[in-house]
Amino acid sequence: MPASDIRDVRFLVPGDPGQHTGGYRYVRQLVRALNERGLASGVSGLGGQFPKPDREAVAALDDALSACADHQVVILD
């Protein structure tokens, strides 16, 4: 998909995306900047254990991906 066709971006991150770490703050700034430029973007947290995913984490990722719109760009952290 050409970059000019991108209209909707979803970041999926482990745990609470409101955490005050450098990586989560960076993702929130990216989402804000994309929204300011007219792209519908957001970040969703995934439950479960990471980086070695448990069953809850696998189910959370499956649910999150199933909820994404067709042709939505998804970025997994």
Side-chain angles (χ1 to χ4, degrees):
M1 169 184 314
S4 60
D5 291 345
I6 296 173
R7 299 284 180 254
D8 192 356
V9 179
R10 172 66 44 185
F11 292 84
L12 299 177
V13 299
D16 177 8
Q19 294 179 63
H20 295 290
T21 66
Y24 288 90
R25 290 177 61 206
Y26 179 73
V27 169
R28 288 192 304 270
Q29 289 176 354
L30 283 174
V31 167
R32 187 172 27 253
L34 291 170
N35 285 324
E36 288 172 358
R37 285 161 181 78
L39 294 174
S41 61
V43 59
S44 298
L46 303 172
Q49 181 178 330
F50 293 92
K52 295 181 181 180
D54 57 10
R55 287 184 182 174
E56 180 184 354
V58 171
L61 180 58
D62 285 345
D63 291 345
L65 290 173
S66 295
C68 291
D70 290 343
H71 305 291
Q72 183 178 43
V73 173
V74 178
I75 300 172
L76 302 174
D77 183 339

